Amino acid sequence: MAFINKSAKEIQVKIVYYGPGRGGKTTNLLYVNQKMSAKFMGKMISIDTRGDKTLFFDFLPLSLGKIRGFSIRVQLYTVPGQVLYNESRKMVLKGVDGVVFVADSMEVQREANVESFLNLRDNLADDNLDLQEMPLVLQLNKRDLEGSVIPVLGEETMRDDLCQHLKAPAPVMGASALQGPGVFETLREISKITIKSVHYKLRS
Amino acid sequence: MPSADREIKDIFQGADRIEILGKLPFILWEYINQGRRLIQEMGSGPGDFSSSFQSMERMLGVLGTAADHLGNEELKGRLAGHTRIITSYRNGDIPHGDFSQSFSSELASLEKVAGNPPNVTADSLLPEDFVERELQRVEKVKTGRSADVVVSGDMLDDIRGFLTEKVLTEEISSILIIDNAGTLIVNVGNKVDLDAISLAAVAAANFAATEKIARLIGERDFVLLFYKGRNESFHFRRLGTEYIIVTIFNNSLSLGLIRLKVAEVAQTLERKLPKREG
């Protein structure tokens, strides 16, 4: 649920990075935090354990300029990916405006990707939100492992695995959160479609 | 140990494995590069190379385990060849010159199965001590210590007995001891419909979140949290730096009394609970 402040001319949207554990959601945010100019960015807050798993969420507020006189503030959240933390995931998902699904390209994670995607659908449904109508970008992370000793899933396979649960295909981005390619492209795409959808909802 | 505890541990170990597999190409290439450097140094004259060998043997151990998880027989075979040649050189079975030559060809054959070298640019997020950190992590998984805290059944029985005897009363329906990461360590009490595993995860997350709030206002953390419900209330208190004790009690018991009770047993519990390793 976007927050629109007409007197301050400000739109605030919440974007959540979702996906299986150890897939690189936090790394996405870290990369943005490290490479983006500090003047467009607030402080990143990470609630994690000592083993650097996300325990509750990471949070990074950004301002992305102005559209029609409204300044756009985006809040990026990640969820804990481990199966155990479903309740925490549900809490973070509350009032979400857009989702980046960070899928892990490693072959061993194929099932985990689909499981997490269906978990996203169920958790959204619990909050009366429909995955089919949610602004969504699928990020295929760890593409840098392609051509290494680690078996990696093909982009087509991953796309098919996830998109078969969608009525209309979502934009797909290859990425390597550790190295950088695809991180800002994903952020740009999800911001664009989220703001478009907020704008559309406003008009209707 | 109850099965629920074991289940949680397995989830974490699985996650660690995924992480290690993702980093395997980096470690593999670091090994190859270090091997090349070693041959170069050896070519420029005699010296003490034992620390280089030690670090390479360590990497070999880790790579072997990772190749095992991966089920990559070819890689496993090549790595075994490396272990053999290094061991026999260090035992003095092969002379200096022969070693350089055959090790160099072993490295070349390993390179063939290693795939593309990782493209590390200035933009990458890798910290400087990356390989060392990853090695430590993998070694922990290898020895089955990835969970950091190891609890024995006796220890749990002891704590359970202590809590039942000294703390549990009619007004207290449940006591949970959890760690910072939301792992349920002990659960005693009679609240049958309690989803203790979820509660532990959310409670730890909540505690961590309030710790961030504390930092934002300049405190280190809040040592005590209390939530009052219509019928039942929650009391959270830190036990040492690693654990949190959660008490669920009905409202006929006063908050002051529960605080006193928990404070009384906190020190004993701290002593009884396992220490984090490493």
Side-chain angles (χ1 to χ4, degrees), chain A residues 64-178:
Chain A
L64 298 183
K66 283 191 175 178
I67 296 178
R68 294 191 185 176
F70 277 84
S71 24
I72 309 293
R73 286 182 180 279
V74 175
Q75 301 185 328
L76 304 182
Y77 283 81
T78 68
V79 295
Q82 280 70 24
V83 182
L84 168 70
Y85 300 127
N86 199 36
E87 291 301 323
S88 312
R89 270 199 294 281
K90 281 190 195 172
M91 285 192 273
V92 179
L93 267 186
K94 283 214 182 323
V96 60
D97 299 301
V99 175
V100 174
F101 185 82
V102 182
D104 193 327
S105 296
M106 285 199 286
E107 210 177 86
V108 283
Q109 287 291 78
R110 186 171 180 182
E111 263 176 51
N113 286 332
V114 176
E115 198 183 311
S116 173
F117 196 59
L118 295 178
N119 174 258
L120 166 67
R121 185 189 65 189
D122 296 347
N123 281 343
L124 284 173
D126 270 5
D127 211 14
N128 291 325
L129 293 167
D130 187 355
L131 177 65
Q132 311 296 341
E133 286 163 20
M134 176 66 57
L136 173 73
V137 171
L138 304 174
Q139 185 188 70
L140 314 181
N141 194 20
K142 304 195 190 173
R143 293 321 295 178
D144 55 304
L145 292 177
E146 234 168 0
S148 75
V149 271
I150 304 295
V152 169
L153 292 161
E155 294 201 16
E156 282 299 313
T157 317
M158 294 181 78
R159 186 196 307 248
D160 293 348
D161 275 358
L162 299 175
C163 285
Q164 61 167 318
H165 301 288
L166 295 173
K167 283 184 191 133
V172 178
M173 304 268 164
S176 162
L178 206 57

Side-chain angles (χ1 to χ4, degrees), chain A residues 10-24:
Chain A
E10 195 179 87
I11 299 180
Q12 222 176 78
V13 295
K14 175 174 180 178
I15 292 171
V16 174
Y17 282 66
Y18 208 95
R22 297 298 200 196

Side-chain angles (χ1 to χ4, degrees), chain A residues 29-40:
Chain A
L29 255 64
L30 274 175
Y31 195 85
V32 172
N33 186 38
Q34 201 169 84
K35 299 295 172 190
M36 202 157 153
S37 159
K39 70 177 177 210
F40 303 118

Side-chain angles (χ1 to χ4, degrees), chain B residues 87-221:
Chain B
T87 318
S88 40
Y89 173 71
R90 297 194 78 187
N91 290 342
D93 296 342
I94 349 176
H96 195 80
D98 285 2
F99 171 76
S100 294
Q101 207 178 14
S102 42
F103 190 56
S104 163
S105 73
E106 285 283 345
L107 279 175
S109 78
L110 186 61
E111 240 174 52
K112 275 192 204 123
V113 290
N116 303 334
N119 174 25
V120 181
T121 59
D123 269 350
S124 304
L125 271 186
L126 301 176
E128 271 173 28
D129 59 347
F130 170 74
V131 171
E132 180 58 34
R133 248 182 35 189
E134 290 310 313
L135 279 179
Q136 278 176 10
R137 198 204 294 268
V138 191
E139 278 169 350
K140 268 190 179 170
V141 176
K142 224 175 115 186
T143 49
R145 290 198 299 116
S146 63
D148 285 334
V149 176
V150 179
V151 276
S152 68
D154 290 347
M155 207 186 262
L156 288 181
D157 286 342
D158 179 35
I159 297 170
R160 223 175 260 134
F162 177 75
L163 287 174
T164 315
E165 199 180 307
K166 300 276 181 200
V167 192
L168 215 55
T169 61
E170 219 171 275
E171 294 89 359
I172 298 175
S173 58
S174 263
I175 305 168
L176 282 79
I177 294 180
I178 61 180
D179 77 352
N180 284 340
T183 317
L184 178 63
I185 314 267
V186 176
N187 171 21
V188 294
N190 50 19
K191 203 169 167 61
V192 276
D193 56 344
L194 185 69
D195 178 2
I197 294 182
S198 294
L199 177 67
V202 180
N206 178 41
F207 213 93
T210 53
E211 202 171 282
K212 289 284 168 183
I213 298 175
R215 300 255 170 87
L216 290 174
I217 62 161
E219 278 290 323
R220 199 167 67 89
D221 59 1

